[in-house]
Amino acid sequence: MEIIPNIHLITGPIVNCYLIVEPDGLTLIDTGIASYEKKILETIASLGRSIHDLKYILLTHSDADHVGSLAALKAASGAKVCTSAIEAEAIEAGFPSREPRFNAFGKFVARMMSGLFKFEPCKVDQILTPGMDLPILDRLWVVPSPGHTPGHISFYSAAAKTLFAGDSLRSSRDELVCSNGPVTWDEGEALASMRLQAGMRPRIVCVGHGKVVKNAVGKFPQ
Ligand SMILES: [Zn+2]
């Protein structure tokens, strides 16, 4: 589904990915769980483009619901895989970059669902650092957003006034919610990241979980 010109939402039962479509190539932000690659390949084909047009795969963080299809998509496309140094180390090892702080019941549920959340390690080609920009949507800025995980990053296009927030934010009833709870590495850091993002006054916030939030100014938590 095209959210605004050139930015497509690819959604499934668990998580959202975003495809940026430009004449000189495609960029995927996060890859979904293992098996999402089929849906991503179908979306690319439906736009009349080839998987070989995929130039960049940008990753917000090393959780299996965001990097599950990474290895398959990199193998199919040869795209350049980019993320922060901390998340890259975890992605190359095939683990999340922090231990969730689950209670006994949470640990039980996580064990039951572990098959869903395993992922194949993948080599990262480029380390992204805060403040650098990529030649996507004019300039796509790398925004540090630690909190959900220690090396979490998000991406901001000033031209499209769009923030790709990964799991630093989620949405509920058209309001943004800061990452919190046992899967959050540090809630204080998450709040500080959210304030930085709110200060950019994005018009559109593309979250990992929940619906895309439009007219987002004023929908950040106070
Ligand atoms: Zn996550």
Side-chain angles (χ1 to χ4, degrees):
M1 181 179 55
E2 195 171 36
I3 310 164
I4 57 169
N6 307 324
I7 302 178
H8 294 253
L9 163 68
I10 304 174
T11 193
I14 296 179
V15 68
N16 302 323
C17 311
Y18 297 92
L19 184 70
I20 300 171
V21 179
E22 295 180 293
D24 60 346
L26 311 177
T27 298
L28 182 68
I29 300 182
D30 288 340
T31 71
I33 57 169
S35 81
Y36 255 44
E37 72 266 18
K38 194 165 170 280
K39 194 162 192 173
I40 292 165
L41 293 171
E42 280 169 8
T43 303
I44 291 172
S46 75
L47 297 169
R49 303 294 293 261
S50 153
I51 183 64
H52 302 294
D53 292 341
L54 188 61
K55 295 259 170 66
Y56 291 99
I57 302 175
L58 309 181
L59 302 159
T60 58
H61 66 296
S62 179
D63 273 348
D65 53 339
H66 295 255
V67 296
S69 289
L70 172 61
L73 287 168
K74 179 175 165 68
S77 64
K80 195 179 207 184
V81 174
C82 313
T83 190
S84 73
I86 293 173
E87 301 304 316
E89 197 182 331
I91 289 166
E92 292 187 340
F95 290 103
S97 60
R98 49 80 182 92
E99 281 270 338
R101 294 172 286 112
F102 285 135
N103 60 18
F105 179 69
K107 279 184 184 144
F108 170 73
V109 173
R111 228 181 1 255
M112 294 298 288
M113 297 176 75
S114 65
L116 197 58
F117 293 105
K118 275 200 184 120
F119 71 90
E120 201 179 317
C122 184
K123 192 184 169 313
V124 172
D125 302 300
Q126 187 182 355
I127 300 298
L128 303 178
T129 52
M132 74 184 278
D133 65 282
L134 297 160
I136 300 161
L137 291 172
D138 187 25
R139 293 173 111 184
L140 191 66
W141 295 95
V142 178
V143 180
S145 46
H148 181 73
T149 63
H152 192 291
I153 49 174
S154 42
F155 301 95
Y156 183 63
S157 162
K161 287 194 166 38
T162 298
L163 174 71
F164 299 92
D167 280 358
S168 59
L169 300 166
R170 64 179 186 276
S171 72
S172 174
R173 295 179 191 166
D174 204 36
E175 294 281 333
L176 292 161
V177 181
C178 192
S179 178
N180 58 15
V183 295
T184 300
W185 167 68
D186 185 316
E187 291 188 347
E189 293 265 354
L191 275 174
S193 294
M194 185 271 291
R195 288 190 193 109
L196 176 75
Q197 292 167 327
M200 299 172 135
R201 300 178 68 79
R203 196 163 53 84
I204 296 167
V205 180
C206 298
V207 290
H209 303 275
K211 291 192 174 145
V212 171
V213 175
K214 295 188 176 177
N215 304 314
V217 176
K219 293 180 181 174
F220 282 82
Q222 294 302 306

